[in-house]
Amino acid sequence: MPYRYDYPHPAVAVDIVVFTIDDADLKVLLIRRRGPPFAGGWALPGGFVGIDESLKRAAWRELREETGVSAGILEQLHTFGHPQRDPRERVISVAYLAPVPADRLRPEPASDAREARLFSVSDLPLLAFDHAKILRLARERLRQKLEKSVLPLELMGASFTLTELQRACELILGVTLDKRNFHKKVHIMDVIEATGEEWREGQHRPAKLYRVKSRRDLTDR
Amino acid sequence: MPYRYDYPHPAVAVDIVVFTIDDADLKVLLIRRRGPPFAGGWALPGGFVGIDESLKRAAWRELREETGVSAGILEQLHTFGHPQRDPRERVISVAYLAPVPADRLRPEPASDAREARLFSVSDLPLLAFDHAKILRLARERLRQKLEKSVLPLELMGASFTLTELQRACELILGVTLDKRNFHKKVHIMDVIEATGEEWREGQHRPAKLYRVKSRRDLTDR
DNA sequence: GCAAAAGTGTTTGAGGTACACCCATGC
DNA sequence: GCATGGGTGTACCTCAAACACTTTTGC
């Protein structure tokens, strides 16, 4: 028992909400817990912060270790500190939001012998701890960002069609948008550019492909 | 040395940014540190979270203990966890934002033998730890809330004039606003009501006094 | 009567919303 | 040639911004 303090210290963890768009649905990455508490149950990926590790770095590492996913953007969401949120000991958890394009999840949970899976946000299992609460707040935040007219470019792959981008917005906002107004707005924003390529699929006119003009850093403080 | 853990635990603290409007200026409440580190320097009020205490409750208690101020609203701002932000040990700090009407600060720092003072945000001393960073983020957040057209009603006293409310907005946003547009907008929002009283001051027409219609809870999660 | 802040409407421009048809492709 | 989604323009309406004069008071 080597670590001793004059007064009690809580444990500090991070939990990561990975959102992606897959199969025309907004999905979250969850892991199955192996040990107690909530053994066998589903939970957000996460874990304890190393004593010399920044919070963001801990989030990045834990996500990587538990799911094999390397997050591009990690945005701090909220810190959850209810005294009884973990039955083992006092655990304060800093939650992070990580929008990841589906194509970065593909070779996916082939990592740490942990079962990881995408779940549609409209068909979630029971979650361990207060993770349902964390997820609810994460969805809210995602929506709020869109309402500030920030496009969910972090969720898009290397190239995408305007219809795909529109679907992403619709899934997050939970409404349907007008195609012409959407195209107009996106072009005025001037944040994406045509790649010149086209995407052929099905028996209809091919769609132009676009890419993000300059990926911006959503830095953490 | 009674508190032992299998692996190292960081300390968890809260810091509170109390904003108020006083003397036609946006001010922050700071305390003078008595012990090391940064002894004699100015810092945000704050302290360590009790092992069975929620984060918000800790923020409320510490603010009360150190400055005598009972915060009405405490909104979680951000969690700061840089490994070297405290020279003593690893300290993760959850920062809170507390807008307080000036009239609740009056009998003020007559509490814990600690020196506490309001500083204008445009004339700040050097701050201990990373508190300057926390304060910068707090001002930004305050501004963002106003831009989402949320009036800073938490900063107003029990009754106030429309001009006072407008000055508060102007101080936070750092711009001057048009009086007629402001009056119109506020009345459309329908969140304040005339008390029927008037405020006489100086050799000019008296101003109508208003009060908040229903104080809303900005609850923490 | 004069200084000083309170109060009060209208016009204009920008941006958002509603809405329908032709185009390119695969079968 | 037909079914399928891709792409495009205009009219209207709502909201935000600009802007100046009268009112009430203390001295």
Side-chain angles (χ1 to χ4, degrees):
Chain A
M1 290 281 192
Y3 300 104
R4 299 178 304 180
Y5 302 93
D6 287 340
Y7 56 95
H9 281 42
V12 176
V14 288
D15 288 303
I16 307 101
V17 183
V18 174
F19 280 122
T20 201
I21 306 249
D22 177 54
D23 194 21
D25 216 349
L26 181 63
K27 299 195 174 176
V28 197
L29 188 58
L30 300 177
I31 59 161
R32 194 191 282 282
R33 292 185 57 82
R34 301 191 73 72
F38 303 99
W42 293 95
L44 294 171
F48 294 103
V49 176
I51 196 69
D52 287 319
E53 186 183 44
S54 79
L55 297 170
K56 197 177 191 174
R57 189 182 164 80
W60 193 89
R61 175 185 54 75
E62 285 287 352
L63 181 62
R64 173 93 192 201
E65 286 176 11
E66 294 197 332
T67 70
V69 174
S70 304
I73 286 160
L74 279 166
E75 180 187 337
Q76 192 181 305
L77 178 63
H78 191 82
T79 298
F80 295 82
H82 186 88
Q84 277 82 44
R85 59 179 294 283
D86 191 309
R88 296 166 292 184
E89 65 174 318
R90 177 77 190 275
V91 180
I92 286 162
S93 176
V94 184
Y96 277 81
L97 186 61
V100 177
D103 56 13
R104 294 190 59 175
L105 294 175
R106 281 295 140 70
E108 206 191 318
S111 65
D112 234 20
R114 264 224 187 59
E115 192 181 352
R117 250 195 65 193
L118 289 176
F119 284 84
S120 161
V121 290
S122 54
D123 186 25
L124 291 168
L126 271 178
L127 294 181
F129 307 106
D130 54 357
H131 289 185
K133 201 183 193 179
I134 298 178
L135 222 162
R136 229 175 298 133
L137 185 64
R139 285 192 68 183
E140 215 173 286
R141 174 74 65 92
L142 201 61
R143 216 176 299 131
Q144 281 169 6
K145 286 177 69 176
L146 250 190
E147 277 160 6
K148 284 183 226 155
S149 67
V150 178
L151 290 171
L153 299 175
E154 311 87 3
L155 282 170
M156 307 311 295
S159 70
F160 50 88
T161 68
L162 282 181
T163 303
E164 281 166 359
L165 183 58
Q166 187 180 336
R167 290 276 171 280
C169 293
E170 289 174 340
L171 286 169
I172 294 166
L173 293 173
V175 297
T176 60
L177 303 172
D178 180 84
K179 207 198 319 185
R180 282 167 295 186
N181 293 338
F182 185 79
H183 283 214
K184 196 196 313 171
K185 193 167 150 190
V186 167
H187 283 124
I188 287 169
M189 282 190 197
D190 194 37
V191 288
I192 65 172
E193 58 191 359
T195 63
E197 312 272 301
E198 289 189 331
W199 180 253
R200 309 180 120 74
E201 183 196 37
Q203 50 197 29
H204 56 83
R205 180 173 173 176
K208 290 181 194 154
L209 283 171
Y210 292 83
R211 73 170 80 90
V212 177
K213 259 190 175 170
S214 68
R215 294 250 174 208
R216 25 177 140 192
D217 280 9
L218 298 182
T219 48
D220 201 11
R221 278 149 289 228
Chain B
M1 289 280 192
Y3 299 104
R4 300 177 303 180
Y5 302 94
D6 287 341
Y7 55 95
H9 281 41
V12 176
V14 287
D15 287 303
I16 306 101
V17 183
V18 175
F19 280 122
T20 201
I21 306 249
D22 176 54
D23 194 21
D25 216 350
L26 181 63
K27 299 196 175 176
V28 197
L29 187 60
L30 300 178
I31 57 160
R32 195 191 281 283
R33 292 184 57 80
R34 301 191 75 70
F38 303 101
W42 292 95
L44 294 171
F48 294 103
V49 176
I51 197 66
D52 285 319
E53 185 182 45
S54 79
L55 298 170
K56 197 177 191 174
R57 189 182 164 78
W60 193 88
R61 176 185 53 76
E62 285 288 351
L63 181 61
R64 173 95 194 201
E65 286 175 10
E66 294 196 333
T67 69
V69 174
S70 304
I73 285 159
L74 278 166
E75 180 187 336
Q76 192 180 305
L77 178 64
H78 192 81
T79 298
F80 295 82
H82 186 86
Q84 277 82 45
R85 59 179 293 283
D86 191 310
R88 294 167 294 183
E89 65 175 317
R90 177 78 189 275
V91 180
I92 286 161
S93 175
V94 184
Y96 278 81
L97 186 60
V100 177
D103 55 13
R104 294 189 59 174
L105 295 175
R106 282 294 141 70
E108 207 192 316
S111 64
D112 235 19
R114 262 222 190 62
E115 192 182 352
R117 249 194 65 193
L118 289 176
F119 285 83
S120 162
V121 290
S122 54
D123 186 25
L124 291 168
L126 270 177
L127 293 180
F129 307 106
D130 54 358
H131 289 186
K133 202 183 193 179
I134 297 177
L135 222 162
R136 231 175 296 132
L137 185 64
R139 285 192 68 183
E140 216 173 284
R141 175 73 64 91
L142 201 62
R143 218 177 296 131
Q144 281 169 8
K145 286 178 69 176
L146 249 190
E147 278 160 4
K148 285 183 225 153
S149 67
V150 177
L151 290 171
L153 299 175
E154 310 87 2
L155 282 171
M156 308 311 295
S159 71
F160 50 89
T161 68
L162 282 180
T163 303
E164 281 166 0
L165 183 58
Q166 186 180 338
R167 290 279 171 277
C169 292
E170 289 174 340
L171 285 169
I172 294 166
L173 293 173
V175 298
T176 61
L177 302 172
D178 179 85
K179 207 199 316 187
R180 281 168 293 187
N181 292 338
F182 186 79
H183 282 214
K184 195 195 312 167
K185 194 167 149 187
V186 167
H187 282 124
I188 287 169
M189 282 188 195
D190 193 36
V191 288
I192 65 172
E193 58 191 1
T195 64
E197 312 272 301
E198 289 189 333
W199 181 252
R200 308 179 121 73
E201 183 196 37
Q203 51 197 30
H204 57 80
R205 179 172 174 177
K208 290 182 194 154
L209 283 170
Y210 292 84
R211 72 170 80 90
V212 177
K213 258 192 175 167
S214 67
R215 294 248 173 209
R216 26 176 140 194
D217 280 8
L218 299 182
T219 47
D220 200 11
R221 278 150 285 230

